Amino acid sequence: MNKFSLSLAASSLLLTQIFAADVALQGVEVSESADDGYRAKTSEVGKTNTPILEIPQTVNVVTQQQLKDKKPETLAESLQNVSGVSYGNTTGGIFDSIIKRGFGGGRDGSIMRNGVPASVMHSFNKTVESVEVLKGPASLLYGAQEPGGIINMVTKKPKYDFSNEIWAGIGNRNYWNAGFDTTGPIADSGFAYRFIFDAMQKDYWREFGEYKNVLFAPSLSYKGDDYRINLAYTHTRSTDPIDRGMYLVPSTGKLLPIDKKRRLDEPFNKLKTRLDAVDVNFEKNIGEDWLLRGAYAYSRSKHEYGHIRLMNVNLNTGVAARRNEAYDGFIHRTHAGSLTLNGYVQTGEIEHNLLFGIDAKEYYRYRPGGLRDTGAHLNINIYNPIYGRVGLPTVREPGIQYQKLRTIGFYAQDSINLTQNLIYSLGVRYEYYDQVARGTTSGPNTTDQQDGKFTWQTGLLYLLTPEWSVYANYAQSFSPQMAISGDDIGDIKPEEGKSIELGTKFQNDSITASAAVFNIDKKNIMRTVNSVSTPVGEARSRGFEFDFNGRVTQGLSVGASYAYTKTEVRKDSGAFAVLVGKPLEATPKHQASLFANYDFSHLGAKGLRIGGGARYFGSWYTYYMRTNLPAVPAGTGFKMDDAVVYDAFISYDTKIAGYETNFSFNVKNLTDKLYYTSSSTGTQANIIPIQPGYARQFMLTASVKF
């Protein structure tokens, strides 16, 4: 019997013992997630029915109303007002890459959909009802993870009341959007349906490129007396521009002296993706006091893209050398399942909120050898570019990218009400993983490893009043590592993280607020020097975060946040040793946001709301890590400017022919501010690609409910 089978057997025995226990419990109800405008009372991210106020860890929720007001089109946009969030290298925009408290990146497994791993491709769309962020190490509940935290997208479920909505929108850069959402019961069968369709298209704000997206999302629910089952399918087809962005010249410390809209690649720099996802989840009351939850998710994305990019620039002549590459048949596939049991046990005067769980995942990635084209004919003049002289390459390279990671973990957590106001929590998890990786079609695997890891987490929370709590938390994380090319160096130690967090939360009928200080240490960061990968790096993140959401006066709702994040490379080796003592890349020390809306209904202007706000994105560092410029030592840092970005909207609710109708006008990046979100230092170039944020965008939308 292998370790997977042993783990499943142990978990089944554990659940059997729970069902056999003689317990006195409080009852658990099958319910939908709830929010009140900008204020969320509960969250699914903790996998229990515990109110946010009583979770000894920072939890942020972007509510349905906030999403409606801001109209984000990406996951990164939806998180703009959450403290401590920045954006990692997205390889020209291919993947979602979210940094939490200084840690994280693309394909790190931290993005969930209904509590199980989502696709690594862009999976934020019109099916998302709210977005949750659990800060700090989350390995106890979610297995292999970075220590910064996880993100969970909660999707819309079928409803048992008929509801239909259609919408359409137009805007600058040839933006248009149209779709519908229909839901309701199927007779008296216990079934309910929902079908969401959405289509969008707009031009890219730089010289060329466009976004196209089509979404089909049918779902079905069945509700019994004490259980509910949901089945959903999502299909998207999308086209996105691949843009490495602007280019910083290390020898001058400045960006290329050209117009911000000028692209130096080619119109065929685009990503075409087909994404299919299936989600199944259920909730079942066991007696009056236990809730059994289960979920399964399957996602498969297949994409292809052309990708010509700058490698070297001669500022005197204006001639830039480029590399031409294309990829086809790039596949990411994920199977993920989760089973949890949550309930209450009374032992004497002490009450226990128990959580038991088991989850498993298989992640598969395969990319055939790229199509390459090299030579002087690829050159372009940055001051007078001429496009269309280069086509997609046709010569395939022999190498591949192949990775398969399987994990299975089981965990238990007990939140103990020592007194009416004092809650102590303790949880432990064991995770087994099996992974292989290689960069060739034949020969031995570069990575071939099977191992397991225990992690644990503990917290103490005290309710000063029924509305105000203080807490302390200690948590651990781990994440397996692999080398996809080079020599087989044997087992690689996983990255490990540990965190101490002290915080306070306040929640009443109007507002939710939280503040926390934290210290996260991460070790075994892998570096590759001379084709040898070694887990040698260490880093630290310390900081303070504040988040506020809710209704402050009649008519006025506010969302505000501030984060101070001080990061530092603590240990490194080889070429990366020069980074010791320097901040982590793409992590601003200061970030802040304020977004508010005012409802004029109580002043006689029924249905009118006006809102807006500002986002402060502090300065951050990128580093030149190559040794091909004698005048620029490897590890030289460059500070990217801070920026303030403004957003605004106006919304009007009315009735036309008896139907509820909404008109909204949104402006994103009101002043058309040029700001920078991330960089890419993994090129063999004498320049550093810098990703700019999106330019000003106008959106006029209308929706009708019937």
Side-chain angles (χ1 to χ4, degrees), residues 531-686:
S531 299
V532 177
S533 299
T534 311
V536 294
E538 296 182 8
R540 173 178 289 172
S541 175
R542 291 175 168 173
F544 167 79
E545 293 173 350
F546 170 77
D547 292 88
F548 176 99
N549 290 281
R551 187 178 63 255
V552 292
T553 65
Q554 186 177 9
L556 179 63
S557 294
V558 174
S561 70
Y562 169 76
Y564 170 82
T565 311
K566 185 179 180 181
T567 61
E568 181 184 7
V569 177
R570 303 281 291 171
K571 181 180 178 182
D572 229 313
S573 68
F576 296 91
V578 295
L579 296 179
V580 173
K582 297 180 179 179
L584 296 177
E585 194 172 51
T587 303
K589 182 178 287 188
H590 299 279
Q591 288 178 269
S593 72
L594 176 66
F595 195 83
N597 82 82
Y598 195 85
D599 190 335
F600 291 84
S601 297
H602 68 286
L603 298 178
K606 187 177 180 179
L608 178 63
R609 293 190 306 121
I610 297 177
R615 295 177 276 126
Y616 174 73
F617 201 71
S619 59
W620 52 275
Y621 283 89
T622 187
Y623 300 97
Y624 184 71
M625 294 306 303
R626 301 295 166 180
T627 57
N628 57 341
L629 291 178
V632 184
T636 299
F638 301 93
K639 182 187 273 188
M640 306 308 300
D641 293 338
D642 60 350
V644 179
V645 181
Y646 300 93
D647 307 301
F649 80 95
I650 181 170
S651 174
Y652 181 64
D653 292 308
T654 186
K655 282 191 176 183
I656 299 178
Y659 297 117
E660 295 182 14
T661 304
N662 172 266
F663 297 97
S664 296
F665 181 67
N666 287 71
V667 186
K668 302 177 183 180
N669 194 356
L670 183 65
T671 62
D672 203 22
K673 178 70 175 181
L674 177 62
Y675 66 105
Y676 312 104
T677 60
S678 63
S679 65
S680 173
T681 58
T683 67
Q684 299 173 348
N686 70 352

Side-chain angles (χ1 to χ4, degrees), residues 38-42 51-55 57-60 461-471 503-516 545-552:
Y38 285 12
R39 182 183 71 98
K41 302 177 184 178
T42 61
I52 293 176
L53 184 69
E54 299 179 13
I55 298 175
Q57 202 166 355
T58 298
V59 175
N60 302 125
L461 182 142
Y462 187 78
L463 290 164
L464 298 170
T465 72
E467 300 175 334
W468 183 18
S469 65
V470 293
Y471 67 89
T504 184
K505 300 180 182 182
F506 181 85
Q507 187 175 74
N508 62 16
D509 293 337
S510 301
I511 65 171
T512 294
S514 65
E545 293 173 350
F546 170 77
D547 292 88
F548 176 99
N549 290 281
R551 187 178 63 255
V552 292

Side-chain angles (χ1 to χ4, degrees), residues 361-396:
K361 179 181 74 173
E362 180 185 274
Y363 170 66
Y364 169 84
R365 172 165 68 107
Y366 177 77
R367 191 185 76 181
L371 304 170
R372 293 289 174 88
D373 180 20
T374 59
H377 66 283
L378 298 175
N379 292 350
I380 194 169
N381 191 298
I382 67 172
Y383 304 118
N384 185 31
I386 301 175
Y387 307 104
R389 297 178 175 179
V390 181
L392 286 168
T394 57
V395 179
R396 189 175 300 277

Side-chain angles (χ1 to χ4, degrees), residues 271-574:
L271 171 73
K272 294 182 177 180
T273 302
R274 170 175 174 159
L275 172 61
D276 295 281
V278 176
D279 295 278
V280 182
N281 58 79
F282 73 88
E283 296 182 341
K284 171 77 169 78
N285 277 323
I286 308 295
E288 297 181 356
D289 310 306
W290 291 90
L291 180 64
L292 181 68
R293 287 190 173 111
Y296 166 76
Y298 166 82
S299 67
R300 182 183 185 274
S301 62
K302 184 176 181 180
H303 57 276
E304 60 184 43
Y305 58 96
H307 189 199
I308 192 167
R309 55 175 166 163
L310 259 64
M311 300 302 294
N312 299 284
V313 178
N314 186 321
L315 292 177
N316 294 324
T317 64
V319 176
R322 302 187 298 179
R323 188 168 78 184
N324 191 10
E325 56 193 12
Y327 297 95
D328 57 355
F330 197 168
I331 294 173
H332 296 266
R333 186 180 68 231
T334 301
H335 294 273
S338 168
L339 184 67
T340 64
L341 180 66
N342 178 218
Y344 296 87
V345 176
Q346 193 84 25
T347 57
E349 299 296 321
I350 297 179
E351 183 182 88
H352 303 259
N353 183 352
L354 296 172
L355 175 68
F356 302 92
I358 179 173
D359 51 42
K361 179 181 74 173
E362 180 185 274
Y363 170 66
Y364 169 84
R365 172 165 68 107
Y366 177 77
R367 191 185 76 181
L371 304 170
R372 293 289 174 88
D373 180 20
T374 59
H377 66 283
L378 298 175
N379 292 350
I380 194 169
N381 191 298
I382 67 172
Y383 304 118
N384 185 31
I386 301 175
Y387 307 104
R389 297 178 175 179
V390 181
L392 286 168
T394 57
V395 179
R396 189 175 300 277
E397 291 192 326
I400 64 169
Q401 287 190 4
Y402 171 83
Q403 179 193 4
K404 181 180 284 187
L405 171 65
R406 296 190 300 166
T407 67
I408 184 167
F410 52 95
Y411 55 95
Q413 176 181 272
D414 188 5
S415 294
I416 309 168
N417 284 70
L418 298 174
T419 69
Q420 186 176 357
N421 296 330
L422 184 62
I423 303 171
Y424 173 70
S425 65
L426 176 65
V428 63
R429 180 188 183 100
Y430 177 77
E431 181 108 345
Y432 171 77
Y433 61 93
D434 180 353
Q435 64 173 343
V436 294
R438 64 175 182 268
T440 59
T441 56
S442 61
N445 295 318
T446 307
T447 300
D448 193 342
Q449 183 177 10
Q450 302 83 40
D451 205 347
K453 181 71 176 178
F454 279 100
T455 55
W456 65 283
Q457 181 171 326
T458 187
L460 188 66
L461 182 142
Y462 187 78
L463 290 164
L464 298 170
T465 72
E467 300 175 334
W468 183 18
S469 65
V470 293
Y471 67 89
N473 174 275
Y474 172 83
Q476 296 179 333
S477 71
F478 92 104
S479 181
Q481 303 188 95
M482 59 88 192
I484 209 163
S485 61
D487 300 326
D488 183 2
I489 60 173
D491 291 349
I492 303 173
K493 292 181 180 180
E495 287 186 343
E496 297 181 32
K498 59 181 181 180
S499 166
I500 296 176
E501 180 177 324
L502 304 174
T504 184
K505 300 180 182 182
F506 181 85
Q507 187 175 74
N508 62 16
D509 293 337
S510 301
I511 65 171
T512 294
S514 65
V517 293
F518 62 88
N519 182 99
I520 302 175
D521 288 299
K522 180 180 177 181
K523 67 178 184 179
N524 299 335
I525 300 172
M526 193 161 65
R527 299 300 195 187
T528 301
V529 180
N530 297 325
S531 299
V532 177
S533 299
T534 311
V536 294
E538 296 182 8
R540 173 178 289 172
S541 175
R542 291 175 168 173
F544 167 79
E545 293 173 350
F546 170 77
D547 292 88
F548 176 99
N549 290 281
R551 187 178 63 255
V552 292
T553 65
Q554 186 177 9
L556 179 63
S557 294
V558 174
S561 70
Y562 169 76
Y564 170 82
T565 311
K566 185 179 180 181
T567 61
E568 181 184 7
V569 177
R570 303 281 291 171
K571 181 180 178 182
D572 229 313
S573 68

